[in-house]
Amino acid sequence: MTDGPIRTERRGAVLEVTLDRPKANAIDLVTSRIMGKVFTDFRDDPDLRVAILTAAGEKFFCPGWDLKAAAAGDAVDGDYGVGGFGGLQELRGLNKPVIMAVNGICCGGGLELALSGDIILCAEHATFALPEIRSGTVADAASIKLPRRIPYHIAMEMLITGRWIDAAEAARWGLVNRVLPAEDLLPVARAMADEIAAGPPLVMAAIKEVVREAEGMKFQDAMNRITKSQFETVERLYRSEDQKEGARAFAEKRDPVWKGR
């Protein structure tokens, strides 16, 4: 399906989302609102289990905020839509895995968007940077997220100098999961998505909620929330048919059949 600058395709339980906004796949307010709607629908659709986000073309994944649109009147503090910038950064309750397939330049808000995913795959020619410092602005989401994802000193260097890193260095610091030849990027992302989609969706949801909510908590506080049934997804999992099916399948030495309920 094509919806303006965003293309979507359903493949079974996988939703593939392609940012297609020539020339550079920059995101303006309208595009951000569309992306928010796409990912909200993905979140709320019980038949979808995994999403892939990639971009059209071979040069750019996303450079972030569309400065030409800003010059034409888009306000930096305007309405980005549900989920905030790019539809993912602040989307509440997204308890399904999202794979980022970064196919080129990924900088500024584009890197912040990539950091909103759970797994980042990239092409060998992909490059990454946070150049906001050079235009006198703050990479706000990256300032929060990046030091938690890669070594502090490397994150700070990227934030305060705007230095570019290539795919190999991004992999070395753990910013991306895997570096692939460009022609293999989407096939590998799709194979990974299919593998995840075949897994237990209620467990995936519980993992995502616990990881997200526990990020700013002490270990014992997070464990107490689990044991006191204060994580909705964990409680739903432990009362589900899938929980019983997993135990039965193990005892019967067969593959489980997950129903998501």
Side-chain angles (χ1 to χ4, degrees):
M1 182 185 74
T2 300
D3 189 2
I6 302 299
R7 292 188 278 113
T8 61
E9 180 182 357
R10 296 176 69 122
R11 295 184 304 100
V14 177
L15 178 69
E16 192 167 310
V17 182
T18 303
L19 176 58
D20 187 1
R21 193 165 182 267
K23 297 180 179 178
N25 296 319
I27 296 175
D28 62 356
L29 291 178
V30 171
T31 302
S32 184
R33 290 195 289 266
I34 293 171
M35 294 176 75
K37 177 66 164 57
V38 166
F39 284 107
T40 299
D41 289 347
F42 163 69
R43 179 195 65 189
D44 297 340
D45 188 331
D47 295 326
L48 290 172
R49 297 185 178 182
V50 186
I52 299 170
L53 176 61
T54 191
E58 299 178 353
K59 184 175 181 180
F60 289 95
F61 172 71
C62 179
W65 178 239
D66 186 342
L67 296 179
K68 290 184 179 179
D74 265 14
V76 175
D77 59 351
D79 178 13
Y80 291 101
V82 61
F85 181 79
L88 276 173
Q89 204 156 262
E90 301 171 64
L91 185 59
R92 295 180 179 275
L94 179 56
N95 293 325
K96 298 177 181 180
V98 178
I99 299 171
M100 297 291 175
V102 177
N103 57 309
I105 292 171
C106 178
C107 64
L111 178 50
E112 292 178 325
L113 179 61
L115 289 170
S116 299
D118 302 294
I119 294 170
I120 305 177
L121 308 178
C122 77
E124 291 172 330
H125 67 281
T127 54
F128 304 85
L130 294 164
E132 284 88 341
I133 187 75
R134 297 176 182 175
S135 58
T137 58
V138 176
D140 47 12
S143 296
I144 298 169
K145 291 183 177 182
L146 196 62
R148 298 176 178 177
R149 308 293 177 81
I150 66 175
Y152 172 85
H153 300 94
I154 305 304
M156 289 301 291
E157 181 185 4
M158 291 182 68
L159 285 162
I160 66 179
T161 71
R163 182 174 76 86
W164 287 82
I165 64 173
D166 61 18
E169 185 174 358
R172 185 162 72 248
W173 299 126
L175 180 60
V176 302
N177 296 72
R178 201 175 305 176
V179 179
L180 300 156
E183 63 271 19
D184 294 339
L185 179 62
L186 274 179
V188 170
R190 288 165 178 159
M192 183 178 288
D194 289 342
E195 179 182 358
I196 294 170
L202 297 184
V203 177
M204 305 289 180
I207 290 170
K208 282 212 62 172
E209 184 183 24
V210 170
V211 169
R212 183 179 62 247
E213 296 299 320
E215 189 171 36
M217 300 173 64
K218 293 181 179 179
F219 173 79
Q220 195 58 55
D221 291 340
M223 289 299 298
N224 290 342
R225 283 195 61 184
I226 293 174
T227 58
K228 294 178 181 178
S229 303
Q230 293 177 347
F231 285 113
E232 180 181 348
T233 55
V234 176
E235 184 65 10
R236 183 184 177 198
L237 168 65
Y238 287 159
R239 297 178 182 274
S240 68
E241 293 180 29
D242 277 2
Q243 177 76 13
K244 297 175 183 177
E245 167 63 7
R248 282 196 300 264
F250 179 81
E252 296 168 8
K253 298 181 180 180
R254 60 173 175 81
D255 290 335
V257 179
W258 307 117
K259 297 180 180 179
R261 61 176 186 267

